[in-house]
Amino acid sequence: MIDNISWLAIYPEVVLLVMACVIALIDLAVNSPRRTATYLLTMLTLAVVAVLQGVYASSGNTFYGFGNMIVSDAMGNWLKCFAAVALMVTLVYGRPYAGDRDMLRGGELFTLSMFSLLGMFIMIGGNNFLVIYLGLELLTLSSYALVALRRDDPVATEAAMKYFVLGAMASGFLLYGLSMLYGATGSLDIGEVFKAVNAGQIRHQVLVFGLVFIVAGLAFKMGAVPFHMWVPDVYEGAPTVITLLIAGAPKLAAFAIVMRLLVDGLLPLAIDWQQMLAVLAIGSILVGNLAAIAQTNLKRMLAYSTISQMGFVLLGLMSGVVNGNVDAATVQAAYSASMFYVVTYVLTTLATFGVIMLLARSGFESDKITDMAGLNQRSPLFAGILAVCLFSMAGVPPLVGFYAKLSVLQALVASGETPYIVLAVFAVMMSLIGAFYYLRVVKVMYFDAPVQTAPIQAPLDVRVVLTLNGALLFVLGLLPGGLMALCSGAILRSLAS
């Protein structure tokens, strides 16, 4: 018999699953080309789920369900809340874009988006190898279908095929690594794996062998070098609304499974996986920034930018344990800096792609850097929002991107170890180089002659949400303490449990 605690742990997931199925059935009777009823019901469901997760997170309680296979803790619940909000914002920005491209003939965009969110929730709340893998596959299979949603578009179909083939390979890596750990420890439960590894009775070589495959699989999901090959092609080839679905909320889930697997389960092996993350971080920051300079396609440039940003997240994750010594304050500062970074990255990405979709129209994608020419003359508001996003990603104060980078660099320098300090200096130097390609887009927006002169028309909901999104980058940059305290408290309670 399933106890009440188990149901309480997955109540938001049950609501999301039931409503996704209900919406799929209701959509069969909807004839509106804009799918207004389906859209409103989806948004209502996401709002309810986000509120539920926010209430769970605010309580600060941690409880386990279904034989410890599911965990509900502050970190996971906040990430789920942010993921639900990110999907809501994505659908607000993407609905006009999708309608112009005949992507709303059926309700697949909304139902598949909800199933992908359900996969993220399962990943974030998983406390068992199989549960995490189940959530990961639900997310990725939904993402494959979403990328290929415009089945008459050969570019989108090609991107979906590349994503599917490389994604299947990465899932195989992760599953093989998890099976190795299961064979070595005799358990799929993350807590039991931690105890078995910490006991020191298992051959180190076997654990490291499995760990290599796990880190490789996780690196693919985060888009880190050298497992980044899919990111530029999928970002460029997918419809922009789907690009945002992949670039936004799933990064929160990727951060969560890194925390679940490497920190909650394999912290005694930190000295091994931190070295792997260091290599991934260096490669991501280097390749991401240098490759982005050569791009003329804005979506492809942002893909390489994402690779670089994930490098910073990895820097935070690798700085928690110094020389094998687990200090509570150091661990909390490092992992909360990474959580803060990934949350603010998603916030910035939402607004960036929101402006790109706003400039697109039927038959025109507006995904080239030259398509931004003279944007300030057409709409000072949207040019200002996009400039704020680009400056934030470049790490220019007083925007939130600056504080996010600073918090990660502080975690590195606080270790006092020379290699970590060298890494911090390297990250700063690469950020300076990376600022070039962000500033190039700003220059095109403000100083180049516009190709189009017609004013930009935006639906009221898009205009309001986009303005609030841009304003948050300023507010959180000036007053980052609240969000940082939230992340720090969530990480502390998660580790304490």
Side-chain angles (χ1 to χ4, degrees), residues 106-415:
E108 294 91 348
L109 175 63
F110 302 116
T111 51
L112 285 172
S113 298
M114 293 178 73
F115 280 121
S116 70
L117 182 65
L118 179 60
M120 295 178 222
F121 279 15
I122 295 172
M123 288 166 64
I124 294 170
N127 192 48
N128 179 284
F129 288 163
L130 285 183
V131 173
I132 289 176
Y133 188 76
L134 177 67
L136 179 64
E137 287 304 289
L138 180 56
L139 168 61
T140 52
L141 290 173
S142 300
S143 300
Y144 301 151
L146 284 167
V147 174
L149 198 57
R150 294 184 70 186
R151 53 185 176 273
D152 298 328
D153 183 355
V155 177
T157 306
E158 179 188 352
M161 286 298 295
K162 290 178 180 177
Y163 192 19
F164 173 74
V165 172
L166 293 173
M169 182 178 68
S171 295
F173 281 162
L174 182 61
L175 190 59
Y176 186 68
L178 294 177
S179 68
M180 287 290 296
L181 285 184
Y182 170 64
T185 62
S187 178
L188 295 170
D189 183 274
I190 289 177
E192 294 300 318
V193 169
F194 176 86
K195 292 177 183 176
V197 174
N198 199 39
Q201 301 299 314
I202 305 170
R203 287 184 62 188
H204 186 71
Q205 293 88 339
V206 176
L207 293 173
V208 172
F209 188 74
L211 182 62
V212 169
F213 284 95
I214 289 175
V215 171
L218 295 175
F220 178 91
K221 300 307 175 186
M222 296 189 76
V225 172
F227 306 97
H228 67 291
M229 302 80 69
W230 64 276
V231 181
D233 290 336
V234 173
Y235 273 43
E236 181 182 9
T240 307
V241 59
I242 309 304
T243 301
L244 182 52
L245 280 170
I246 295 170
K251 294 296 185 287
L252 299 169
F255 169 80
I257 62 171
V258 171
M259 289 291 296
R260 299 292 187 212
L261 294 176
L262 298 186
V263 178
D264 292 353
L266 300 172
L267 193 60
L269 298 177
I271 196 168
D272 296 300
W273 57 254
Q274 284 187 165
Q275 295 178 46
M276 302 177 198
L277 295 190
V279 173
L280 296 173
I282 292 170
S284 299
I285 294 173
L286 181 66
V287 173
N289 282 311
L290 294 182
I293 293 174
Q295 305 306 313
T296 57
N297 183 285
L298 185 56
K299 287 164 66 176
R300 200 172 182 87
M301 186 201 84
L302 290 172
Y304 283 108
S305 167
T306 295
I307 294 168
S308 171
Q309 304 290 343
M310 289 302 103
F312 268 90
V313 175
L314 293 174
L315 284 180
L317 289 168
M318 60 151 285
S319 59
V321 179
V322 182
N323 293 328
N325 299 317
V326 181
D327 178 71
T330 303
V331 167
Q332 182 183 359
Y335 298 152
S336 60
S338 284
M339 181 176 173
F340 182 88
Y341 198 104
V342 77
V343 170
T344 55
Y345 158 79
V346 171
L347 182 66
T348 309
T349 300
L350 289 170
T352 304
F353 281 99
V355 174
I356 295 173
M357 280 189 280
L358 192 61
L359 298 179
R361 56 187 183 277
S362 183
F364 179 71
E365 283 299 318
S366 186
D367 59 356
K368 301 286 192 296
I369 293 177
T370 52
D371 294 333
M372 301 293 119
L375 178 59
N376 183 57
Q377 298 179 37
R378 298 177 62 197
S379 174
L381 173 63
F382 297 132
I385 292 172
L386 185 54
V388 165
C389 294
L390 295 170
F391 283 133
S392 181
M393 284 191 279
V396 176
L399 301 173
V400 70
F402 167 76
Y403 189 81
K405 282 183 167 59
L406 179 63
S407 61
V408 169
L409 295 174
Q410 283 177 329
L412 279 171
V413 174
S415 68

Side-chain angles (χ1 to χ4, degrees), residues 10-34:
I10 64 163
Y11 186 63
E13 284 84 349
V14 171
V15 172
L16 186 59
L17 173 61
V18 170
M19 289 306 299
C21 296
V22 168
I23 289 170
L25 292 173
I26 291 176
D27 186 72
L28 296 174
V30 175
N31 295 320
S32 168
R34 292 281 174 172

Side-chain angles (χ1 to χ4, degrees), residues 39-61:
Y39 169 73
L40 293 176
L41 196 53
T42 300
M43 296 300 284
L44 178 61
T45 301
L46 294 176
V48 170
V49 169
V51 170
L52 281 174
Q53 297 291 7
V55 170
Y56 276 30
S58 299
S59 70
N61 296 326

